[in-house]
Amino acid sequence: MKRNRIVIAGLGDSGVLTAIRLARHAEVVGISAKPALVSGQELGWRLSRPHEWARANWIPFDRFRGLDKVRTVHGSLTGLDLAARTVDVRHDDGSTSVEGYDALVISTGVANGFWRQPNFQSADDISADLRAAHDRLANASSVIVVGGGAAAVSSAANLARTWPQKRVDLYFPGERALLQHHPRAWERVEQRLAEVGVVLHAGHRAVIPDGFACDQITAEPVQWSTGQPPTKADAVLWAIGKVRPNTAWLPADLLDEHGFVRVTPELQVPGHRGVFAVGDVAATDPLRTSARNRADGLLAHNVLAEFEGRPLRSYRPPKGRWGSVLGPQRDGLEVFAPNGRAFRFPAWSFDRVLMPLIVRWGIYRGVRENRPLSEV
């Protein structure tokens, strides 16, 4: 009996988790511009301690036991033919291929700064990117971090903790940072920032130069539209949440006015049976929360339910952000609940319990031990 064929377009966190769930029930093909899961999370950890970050967040696909039955294709998506039910893929050598599907899951994510880009990369390319950003900041005696979200706050905290002799200033436009988190979370994080010496500057909104995508570390003075004089540092890290959906390969009628994939509450693309979207690329709600709230389980259920003619379930987005903000620290990992209260994993438990048992077995259903990667 022929098995249904599911194409997962994009193998970031959401795509990998969805593929793992579906691989037991169908023929699954995953398409990725990277040869591994390269997480876009924990920017501060990535910049300050890239080797440690890579052990937890850069995982070759062949290490996932749940992907053993998934055929992964290393290439860039270039087109979708909805009538023929095929996607077009361009490979590194310039050749192209076509992948047919019975169901398509769009999980190509977003571009955001230099750390989340959709371009085709090899393992050596990824390693070079990690080293370049780390070395650029390591060699700076002063750093400005621009932005008020978790990426900016985490970067400022981790840079200051890793290099205590370095001056680190965090500039954000509101009265406080972390506006998408509960105020109680900011109170705790503000205290942690003060402990490591980060200098806070509220009420500063940066002028973004025309055509600047905030995808590089700069050295020019930062101009402020809120009236303050320009500010200069050896390195300026832009983490302002200027995300761009990776949807150039998709027909325009699938997208909303901002370029994200329109979806129903069931994560289905309206008017196109068998086409779904999940993660940062899916316009589920203003925060696009299906990327961080384990919607992969609901999506996998809905894909299989559509094949079998069963009812589909609806995704209900949370009202705010939750989870880790600063990432692993010497004294442990703090995770914030939706009500802003923090609970801590002790430092010893991160490598002994949290990563091996909860993340690698509980979430990813088994990850093999590290195999040699390019040096970071």
Side-chain angles (χ1 to χ4, degrees), residues 55-271:
R55 285 193 294 113
N57 294 283
W58 174 9
I59 308 174
F61 296 133
D62 62 3
R63 286 183 51 205
F64 292 97
R65 296 181 187 275
L67 294 182
D68 285 349
K69 295 182 179 180
V70 174
R71 178 165 64 87
T72 57
V73 177
H74 190 192
S76 300
L77 289 149
T78 59
L80 166 63
D81 188 328
L82 290 163
R85 301 178 77 79
T86 60
V87 296
D88 301 321
V89 185
R90 183 180 64 249
H91 306 280
D92 189 35
D93 61 2
S95 63
T96 60
S97 61
V98 176
E99 298 289 344
Y101 64 83
D102 296 302
L104 171 66
V105 175
I106 301 168
S107 53
T108 42
V110 297
N112 184 12
F114 57 84
W115 60 96
R116 295 180 74 181
Q117 291 294 321
N119 52 303
F120 185 97
Q121 286 188 306
S122 66
D124 287 343
D125 295 332
I126 297 166
S127 180
D129 278 357
L130 290 173
R131 283 199 308 270
H134 172 79
D135 292 348
R136 174 74 175 83
L137 293 168
N139 293 327
S141 61
S142 58
V143 178
I144 287 173
V145 182
V146 183
V153 170
S154 169
S155 297
N158 281 279
L159 294 175
R161 171 157 282 183
T162 300
W163 295 293
Q165 75 282 4
K166 196 185 304 293
R167 178 182 174 97
V168 179
D169 292 78
L170 175 63
Y171 291 82
F172 47 93
E175 294 182 4
R176 68 173 180 92
L178 299 182
L179 292 178
Q180 296 173 350
H181 289 71
H182 193 283
R184 193 180 289 120
W186 169 242
E187 291 174 7
R188 174 59 179 156
V189 171
E190 185 179 23
Q191 177 185 344
R192 299 300 297 269
L193 290 168
E195 290 171 0
V196 296
V198 174
V199 182
L200 303 181
H201 304 268
H204 285 67
R205 184 175 296 279
V207 175
I208 310 301
D210 290 342
F212 180 52
C214 303
D215 56 358
Q216 56 187 288
I217 298 171
T218 61
E220 292 75 20
V222 181
Q223 310 285 334
W224 308 105
S225 64
T226 39
Q228 299 89 350
T231 310
K232 183 173 176 56
D234 292 337
V236 179
L237 174 64
W238 298 83
I240 60 174
K242 191 177 180 181
V243 301
R244 302 177 306 282
N246 298 322
T247 53
W249 63 284
L250 292 171
D253 63 350
L254 269 59
L255 312 178
D256 69 8
E257 65 274 21
H258 304 294
F260 295 92
V261 181
R262 294 183 293 111
V263 290
T264 67
E266 294 74 30
L267 303 182
Q268 195 166 30
V269 176

